[in-house]
Amino acid sequence: MNNIDKQYQALLQDILDNGVKKETRNGGTISVFGRQIRHKMSEGFPLLTTKKMAWKTMVTELLWFLRGDTNIKFLVDNDCHIWDGDAYKNYENKYYKGEAFGYKKLNNLEYSPDLKLSQEEFIKQIKTDNEFAKTWGELGPIYGKQWRDWNNYKGDEIAPNGFEMWNEPIDQIQNLINNLKTNPDSRRLMVNAWNVGELDQMVLPPCHYGFQVYTRELSFEERIVWMKDNSPTREVILPQSLGPEFSLDEFFEPYGVPKRAISLMWNQRSVDTFLGLPFNIASYGLLLEIIAKEVNMVPDELIGNLGDVHLYSNHVEQAKEQITREPYPLPTVTLPSGLEPGLGHWDKVVFEDFYLNDYKSYPSIKAPLSN
C-alpha cells in the first residue's frame, strides 16, 4: 500500500487550492502553514514513485550529515550537487566584497571582478583543488556540525590565557544512540540543528531544524511476525508449553528479535514542497532505518511536522503533472550488513553499501532549484 505518495499529492493540491501568494528572498511562492505527513514504515520505504527520485543524491547527503561534514567537497566528489548553489552564492557574495583577495593573492593573482569563477568553474575547482575547497567549499556550522559537534559554551568562565572556556563538543547523534540503549522511554530523545548562536555563520539556516524519536515495546504477536519475516522458511516453531516458566526474552534472544519499535518525527520550518520535501521524507526515513538498526529496534512510524509549506511559482505546472500520476508500490531498502554499534565508522560507509529494492517510478519531472 502506498499512502505516502497519495498524502504528498494531496499536499500539492492543498497548496494549489488554498495557498497564499508571497514574494520571498528567492522567488515567488504560494504557501500554506502547518501541515503534517505520517507514514508507517511497514508499508514500504517512503521514496516517492510518482516521479523518479535521485536515490544516490539523497543517500550521499545523509551520509555527509552523519559524518559531521560541512564542506561540499565530499558531495561534489560523490556527484551530489544539491548544495552547489549555496556554496557558490557564498563565494560570489564574498568575492564582490573583496574577501576572496586572500586566496587570489596566494595564487599570485590580482583581485579583480573579472577573475570571478562561473559556478561550473567553481565546482571544478572544488573538485580538483583541495586548498580552494577548504576555503570556499565550507558552508559553516550547518546540519552535520550541529548533529555531531555542537559547541558547548561553559558560560562566564575565563581560561588563564584570557579566552572564554568551552566544554567538549556534544555529539548529539551518538548521545541519542546511547540514550536509546539505556533509557528508551525517555522524552528527551532529540537532536537539534537550530543553534541560535551560530545561525549567522551558516550559509543557510536549517530548514528541517530538529527531530525526536519515540519507542514502544513490541507485542508478542509483533515479535512473532518479525521472526517470520526474517526467517528463511518464514516459519516459527513455538515451545509446546507456554506456562509461567516460559520467558519471552529467552525464547526470542537467540534469534535477535527486537524488543521495541521506534518512530521518528522531524520538524521543518520551510518546505520546498516540490523539490525538497520528497528528499526530506526519504532522508528521514533512511535515518530512522539506520538508527533502528544501530539499536536493534523495528522502524515504526515516520512523521513530518511542516511549517511554511510552499510551491515556487516555477514549480506549479510540474506539481499539477505529478498529481495526475497513480502511485506504484513502495520499494524496500537493505542497509549495510557490517554496521558496527556506534557511529565512528561513518567515514567508511559509502553509497554502494545501501540497496534499493523493487523501485518502480514514473520519469523524473525537472524543476529549477531556488537557492
Side-chain angles (χ1 to χ4, degrees):
M1 182 181 298
N2 182 350
N3 286 318
I4 191 67
D5 265 290
K6 289 292 188 183
Q7 287 184 68
Y8 177 75
Q9 290 172 316
L11 184 58
L12 292 177
Q13 190 65 59
D14 181 11
I15 299 171
L16 293 173
D17 292 342
N18 303 305
V20 174
K21 290 185 178 181
K22 292 190 175 187
E23 289 299 323
T24 71
R25 65 175 181 84
N26 54 357
T29 67
I30 51 174
S31 66
V32 295
F33 184 67
R35 300 295 188 267
Q36 188 178 78
I37 281 183
R38 306 182 76 101
H39 172 69
K40 294 291 288 185
M41 296 296 288
S42 59
E43 295 177 0
F45 185 76
L47 190 68
L48 297 187
T49 68
T50 45
K51 67 178 177 186
K52 185 175 178 62
M53 295 290 298
W55 167 248
K56 180 179 180 180
T57 298
M58 186 276 294
V59 175
T60 301
E61 184 194 41
L62 180 59
L63 290 178
W64 182 61
F65 291 160
L66 288 170
R67 289 161 56 101
D69 202 345
T70 57
N71 193 297
I72 66 164
K73 178 153 178 64
F74 173 81
L75 301 178
V76 170
D77 288 346
N78 287 278
D79 199 28
C80 175
H81 296 285
I82 54 180
W83 285 88
D84 287 5
D86 295 289
Y88 182 71
K89 185 185 244 183
N90 181 52
Y91 158 81
E92 193 173 41
N93 290 340
K94 290 183 176 179
Y95 193 93
Y96 281 122
K97 292 177 182 176
E99 295 177 35
F101 178 68
Y103 177 77
K104 293 295 180 183
K105 187 175 180 181
L106 288 173
N107 288 270
N108 298 315
L109 294 171
E110 293 184 6
Y111 172 72
S112 166
D114 297 334
L115 295 173
K116 183 177 73 71
L117 302 175
S118 68
Q119 183 165 325
E120 184 178 350
E121 292 168 331
F122 174 81
I123 296 304
K124 183 177 180 181
Q125 195 83 353
I126 291 287
K127 194 173 182 67
T128 58
D129 185 335
N130 288 336
E131 285 302 312
F132 184 88
K134 187 182 296 184
T135 300
W136 296 108
E138 181 57 48
L139 301 176
I142 60 170
Y143 300 100
K145 172 71 164 62
Q146 305 306 334
W147 283 15
R148 305 303 310 275
D149 190 25
W150 179 290
N151 279 342
N152 188 12
Y153 182 48
K154 202 168 183 177
D156 295 329
E157 297 185 44
I158 302 296
N161 60 6
F163 290 100
E164 296 173 329
M165 293 183 66
W166 298 78
N167 289 324
E168 286 294 316
I170 297 171
D171 186 339
Q172 294 190 82
I173 297 290
Q174 188 61 63
N175 285 352
L176 176 67
I177 298 298
N178 295 342
N179 290 332
L180 280 166
K181 292 177 179 179
T182 58
N183 188 14
D185 285 323
S186 171
R187 296 186 292 270
R188 303 176 183 180
L189 302 171
M190 300 174 64
V191 170
N192 192 0
W194 193 263
N195 188 336
V196 177
E198 295 186 339
L199 291 179
D200 61 346
Q201 302 170 43
M202 306 177 189
V203 298
L204 182 70
C207 293
H208 44 100
Y209 59 87
F211 67 91
Q212 180 178 358
V213 297
Y214 171 92
T215 80
R216 63 175 178 83
E217 290 188 355
L218 291 168
S219 66
F220 175 77
E221 291 76 14
E222 287 175 314
R223 298 180 81 182
I224 291 294
V225 168
W226 187 95
M227 283 187 70
K228 288 181 179 179
D229 289 344
N230 290 273
S231 167
T233 62
R234 300 188 67 83
E235 292 182 351
V236 175
I237 301 176
L238 293 171
Q240 293 184 348
S241 172
L242 297 180
E245 73 285 354
F246 177 74
S247 167
L248 287 178
D249 288 342
E250 287 181 9
F251 171 69
F252 287 124
E253 187 173 357
Y255 303 98
V257 180
K259 297 179 181 180
R260 285 180 172 262
I262 180 171
S263 296
L264 183 150
M265 178 175 69
W266 86 90
N267 295 301
Q268 189 160 346
R269 65 172 179 86
S270 177
V271 187
D272 175 354
T273 310
F274 188 74
L275 288 180
L277 182 57
F279 264 70
N280 303 136
I281 294 169
S283 182
Y284 276 107
L286 186 58
L287 181 61
L288 175 54
E289 294 270 5
I290 288 169
I291 293 172
K293 181 160 185 169
E294 290 270 357
V295 297
N296 192 30
M297 295 183 187
V298 177
D300 195 4
E301 192 169 17
L302 179 69
I303 304 162
N305 290 324
L306 312 175
D308 186 317
V309 187
H310 52 267
L311 279 171
Y312 287 99
S313 56
N314 54 2
H315 294 173
V316 169
E317 294 307 313
Q318 293 92 327
K320 290 178 179 177
E321 179 181 351
Q322 189 167 357
I323 289 171
T324 67
R325 296 176 171 182
E326 187 63 29
Y328 292 113
L330 292 175
T332 60
V333 294
T334 304
L335 269 59
S337 58
L339 285 183
E340 299 294 333
L343 291 167
H345 57 275
W346 281 107
D347 59 341
K348 303 178 181 67
V349 178
V350 295
F351 161 74
E352 287 76 14
D353 293 327
F354 295 82
Y355 294 94
L356 181 63
N357 310 305
D358 303 318
Y359 181 51
K360 182 180 180 181
S361 74
Y362 288 82
S364 61
I365 305 175
K366 300 298 183 182
L369 179 63
S370 297
N371 292 116

